[in-house]
Each structure stands twice: as C-alpha cells, then as structure tokens.
Amino acid sequence: MTTDPRMMADKRDDPADETGVITKTKPKTQRPPLYKVLLLNDDYTPMEFVVHVLERFFGMTHAQAFELMLVVHKKGVAVVGVFSFEVAETKVAQVMDFARRHQHPLQCTMEKE
C-alpha cells in the first residue's frame, strides 16, 4: 500500500493532529496604588472635634480616636487610614467639608503610599 505524499503533507499541517500542549498565560493584575489619609495638627481645632471626626469618618472607637488625636497633637501629623485613590479622596473631601461647616481649620490630605 502506498500513500499519496500530498495526503501526508495535509495530515502533518492539520493543527488538530498536533500533540503539543498549548498554554495560555494570564496577564498579572496589579493592585491599585494605595493612598495614606493624613490629619494635620493646628492650634485652633478642638481635640474633641478631631476625635469626633475620627470616629465618624474612619470608624474608630472612642479610645482609638482619642489615641490617634494625641499623635496628631504631639507629632503634628498622623496617618488615619490607607485606602484606594477614590476612597481616600472621598474621605479627605468629607473631613474638609465637615470641618468647614463647623468653622474649624482642620486640614486633611492624602499622599501615595
């Protein structure tokens, strides 16, 4: 029995007959950059107001908020949370708006971690 060389060529070129393993690589997803929300000390905002802000906008207990308020008071600045860009931006805006509405010069900023 002889085989037609054209048939052999067709058989070798048919991708369905390949026995090689095809691997697909998944692109690595990167975590979005995180941003630190910072609270800055000033000489006018009452300490109790800062405690209230930390409880209200950052979900801290009274004890946690009081402790962090003291860090802000003594060191001049403290990180009050680390969030995605959108969340950090929202927290800063909320704190700044709340402080302005209560006529306090409290400053809140964010920076890339």
Side-chain angles (χ1 to χ4, degrees):
M1 173 180 200
T2 60
T3 52
D4 186 358
R6 290 176 295 176
M7 295 283 251
M8 291 299 285
D10 289 344
K11 194 170 193 177
R12 279 181 280 159
D13 292 339
D14 185 6
D17 288 341
E18 291 182 18
T19 58
V21 176
I22 298 174
T23 58
K24 291 183 180 178
T25 57
K26 289 185 177 179
K28 283 199 170 190
T29 55
Q30 293 182 331
R31 290 193 164 274
L34 296 176
Y35 291 79
K36 297 184 283 191
V37 174
L38 307 166
L39 211 53
L40 307 172
N41 188 43
D42 64 71
D43 293 333
Y44 303 101
T45 305
M47 292 179 177
E48 234 1 90
F49 183 79
V50 175
V51 170
H52 180 69
V53 165
L54 293 170
E55 291 170 345
R56 180 172 178 163
F57 297 105
F58 298 95
M60 296 181 186
T61 65
H62 186 75
Q64 291 169 325
F66 188 82
E67 192 173 316
L68 195 54
M69 176 275 299
L70 288 177
V71 172
V72 173
H73 181 69
K74 291 176 183 175
K75 297 194 179 209
V77 65
V79 175
V80 295
V82 178
F83 308 96
S84 68
F85 178 81
E86 291 81 9
V87 174
E89 187 177 48
T90 301
K91 297 271 186 196
V92 169
Q94 288 174 329
V95 170
M96 294 295 289
D97 180 57
F98 189 71
R100 295 300 157 267
R101 282 190 283 125
H102 289 87
Q103 300 178 345
H104 294 298
L106 182 64
Q107 293 293 305
C108 186
T109 62
M110 62 187 262
E111 65 181 40
K112 198 169 187 178
E113 188 173 43

